[in-house]
Structure formats: C-alpha cells, structure tokens
Amino acid sequence: MYKIVLLFLFFSLNFVVGQGFQSEFRANYRMTYILDSLTRKAKVEDFKLFFNRNQSYFLSDKSILSDFYEVKGEVLDMKQLQSKRTLFLDRISYDATKKDFSVYLNEGKTYYKYKQNAELIWNITNETKTINNIVCKKATTAAFGRKWIAYFSTDYTFPFGPFKINGLPGLIVSVEDDRKTIRFVLDEIEKHHKFIQIPSNVKAVSKEQYFKLYDNLVFNLSILNHVAFVEDPSFKQKLINSVMERKRMMNNFPMDLDMKSIME
C-alpha cells in the first residue's frame, strides 16, 4: 500500500465558518455520470441538498467529508486520499426569492465565488412518471450548455433541485441531460433542522476566472512538487499519468459546458 507524506492535498480541506441559513429538509441525490464517451462506463457519486422555503445549498458528499478533516503533515495511505477525491468541487447556494445562485470553490484557506442569475425557462408538460414511488411531472429546459429533462413532484412544493437546476413548482426528483451523460436521482428526502454554514469572507471573481481556478485546482500537477512519496518514488509518475488520463476523458464535462468553452 502506497503512503505519502502530505504537505498539501489535491483538494481543499479547510472549511470557512460564516453565514448560512436554517435548513428544514435534506435531500440525498445520486449522480450517475459518464466521463469517457468512448467506453460509456458509468460512475456514481452522492450529493446532498439542504434547503428551507427560500434557500438551498448543494454539494458532494465527499466535500462534506473534507469539511471535517484537517491535514497537518501526517502520513496517509493512498486509499484514504483517493476516497476523498472528487471532480465536483462546486458548492452551490440558491436564493429562490432573488432567483440567483452563488458557486463557491475552496482553494486552501481561500474561497472564491461567482454569482449568476438562475431564472431558467421551463417547458412543463402533462407527461407524468413515477420515480421511487413519487409521481412526477416532466419539464425541459436549456441551460449551462446542455438540454435537460427533469421530473419534479408537486407533493414537495420547493423550487429546488441538484446542481444549478432550480425554479420548478416542486422538488426535482430526477434530471438528466439529453445526451444521457449526467443523471441525478433523488434517493431520499428527510427533515433536517440544522444551521447550514455557507462560506463567507470569499473573494468574488468572474465566471471565467472561477473556471480557470477550478481547472488549475483539479489538474495542476505542480502540486506534486510538495508531496514526498515514501515507499515508491516512481508512484509519482503513475499518479501524473492517472491525472492526465482523467483530463483526457473529461470531454463530456464539466456539467456547465461554459467552462469547457472557456478552457479550450
């Protein structure tokens, strides 16, 4: 088993305590996604959506784990590091009254944020579908470089959903892009009366600047200069190859294709 001495992690593990809201519910979503269009092999990752009547906060389960984990130079094994690694670093807060969202990126002890209007134009149909024993209505929209097909439930009258997909007259139970490379499905919804902290003291940047920071954080290999490989120095090259292969496969990503157009 490979072990490395961590002077810095590949993604950020410090949580900035700040503003937030009192949640009423927590929705658990599972995302199925395809990185490589050639193999069409699906991967999965779990996400949480915390919300009340007016606000929501969406992030990966792995980001939640990282909030409670601090690295202070100790030795960790590679499996432990990889278990916390995610390609989905965004933390997204949505304000239903203002119909806008803020997207946060944690880089070390600094949070960056860009803000965007989120009033999507939905076409709601009469088509219905039962998903996980919930009767849903179908709606479609185009946003973030993709066409989306969503199913929402008016049994839960909250205008929220996963990622940046919001604004329907009911909680989104399922949503996928028309190319079937990304799909979120609601696994569970439960009451959750807790204060949800949202990063404060953040640095506001443009969407373009944010995406460049994001790309650098995920794929900048200079971070390996700060890592000492204890048992097998050659493992560094293996890790570099793995990162480059992951970047090659991201021809369908990110979820917001504006990033792809900026980075190309």
Side-chain angles (χ1 to χ4, degrees), residues 53-70:
R53 290 288 170 182
N54 299 314
Q55 287 183 276
S56 69
Y57 190 56
F58 178 77
L59 71 168
S60 166
D61 279 12
K62 292 184 177 182
S63 293
I64 295 172
L65 284 174
S66 73
D67 289 346
F68 302 99
Y69 188 84
E70 291 188 17

Side-chain angles (χ1 to χ4, degrees), residues 235-249:
F235 188 68
K236 179 177 180 179
Q237 187 58 50
K238 296 176 185 177
L239 190 56
I240 291 173
N241 293 342
S242 174
V243 171
M244 296 310 295
E245 176 65 9
R246 186 178 291 110
K247 187 166 187 177
R248 181 197 67 79
M249 290 192 303

Side-chain angles (χ1 to χ4, degrees), residues 164-220:
K164 305 172 187 175
I165 312 299
N166 298 282
L168 283 166
L171 185 69
I172 292 176
V173 176
S174 171
V175 61
E176 67 179 350
D177 71 322
D178 64 340
R179 292 190 290 177
K180 300 187 182 299
T181 56
I182 302 168
R183 186 174 189 238
F184 288 98
V185 178
L186 177 68
D187 279 343
E188 181 183 30
I189 180 172
E190 56 189 350
K191 291 183 178 180
H192 184 267
H193 296 285
K194 290 187 179 181
F195 185 78
I196 302 301
Q197 294 174 333
I198 296 176
S200 63
N201 300 319
V202 298
K203 182 176 180 180
V205 295
S206 68
K207 192 173 184 180
E208 181 177 1
Q209 290 172 320
Y210 178 96
F211 284 153
K212 288 180 178 178
L213 286 164
Y214 193 109
D215 184 75
N216 185 65
L217 188 59
V218 176
F219 295 115
N220 186 358

Side-chain angles (χ1 to χ4, degrees), residues 31-44 180-182 248-249 251-253:
M31 182 180 72
T32 305
Y33 64 102
I34 297 171
L35 273 180
D36 193 344
S37 62
L38 297 179
T39 65
R40 302 296 295 182
K41 183 178 179 180
K43 297 178 179 291
V44 297
K180 300 187 182 299
T181 56
I182 302 168
R248 181 197 67 79
M249 290 192 303
N251 56 333
N252 289 320
F253 277 82

Side-chain angles (χ1 to χ4, degrees), residues 38-252:
L38 297 179
T39 65
R40 302 296 295 182
K41 183 178 179 180
K43 297 178 179 291
V44 297
E45 188 161 334
D46 294 323
F47 291 78
K48 293 285 191 297
L49 177 71
F50 302 96
F51 59 95
N52 57 26
R53 290 288 170 182
N54 299 314
Q55 287 183 276
S56 69
Y57 190 56
F58 178 77
L59 71 168
S60 166
D61 279 12
K62 292 184 177 182
S63 293
I64 295 172
L65 284 174
S66 73
D67 289 346
F68 302 99
Y69 188 84
E70 291 188 17
V71 174
K72 297 179 181 178
E74 70 267 32
V75 175
L76 300 176
D77 64 68
M78 199 63 198
K79 285 185 178 179
Q80 192 173 10
L81 174 60
Q82 290 294 85
S83 69
K84 295 177 177 64
R85 183 173 177 81
T86 177
L87 292 173
F88 308 102
L89 305 177
D90 295 324
R91 300 159 187 253
I92 304 168
S93 66
Y94 174 69
D95 188 323
T97 59
K98 297 178 181 178
K99 291 184 172 58
D100 63 20
F101 59 77
S102 296
V103 185
Y104 301 89
L105 176 67
N106 186 3
E107 185 184 44
K109 294 184 178 181
T110 302
Y111 269 94
Y112 294 92
K113 176 187 82 170
Y114 78 87
K115 198 168 186 177
Q116 185 172 341
N117 178 272
E119 192 167 8
L120 304 184
I121 299 173
W122 287 100
N123 175 32
I124 299 175
T125 73
N126 293 322
E127 183 178 336
T128 62
K129 186 177 183 180
T130 300
I131 303 171
N132 292 342
N133 298 317
I134 303 173
V135 178
C136 307
K137 293 187 68 174
K138 181 181 179 180
T140 59
T141 191
F144 318 116
R146 297 179 185 274
K147 294 180 180 179
W148 302 92
I149 302 98
Y151 288 88
F152 67 98
S153 171
T154 54
D155 291 338
Y156 303 97
T157 56
F158 305 97
F160 304 119
F163 183 47
K164 305 172 187 175
I165 312 299
N166 298 282
L168 283 166
L171 185 69
I172 292 176
V173 176
S174 171
V175 61
E176 67 179 350
D177 71 322
D178 64 340
R179 292 190 290 177
K180 300 187 182 299
T181 56
I182 302 168
R183 186 174 189 238
F184 288 98
V185 178
L186 177 68
D187 279 343
E188 181 183 30
I189 180 172
E190 56 189 350
K191 291 183 178 180
H192 184 267
H193 296 285
K194 290 187 179 181
F195 185 78
I196 302 301
Q197 294 174 333
I198 296 176
S200 63
N201 300 319
V202 298
K203 182 176 180 180
V205 295
S206 68
K207 192 173 184 180
E208 181 177 1
Q209 290 172 320
Y210 178 96
F211 284 153
K212 288 180 178 178
L213 286 164
Y214 193 109
D215 184 75
N216 185 65
L217 188 59
V218 176
F219 295 115
N220 186 358
L221 295 175
S222 65
I223 188 65
L224 295 181
N225 295 329
H226 301 281
V227 178
F229 291 83
V230 178
E231 294 182 359
D232 183 3
S234 68
F235 188 68
K236 179 177 180 179
Q237 187 58 50
K238 296 176 185 177
L239 190 56
I240 291 173
N241 293 342
S242 174
V243 171
M244 296 310 295
E245 176 65 9
R246 186 178 291 110
K247 187 166 187 177
R248 181 197 67 79
M249 290 192 303
M250 288 190 69
N251 56 333
N252 289 320

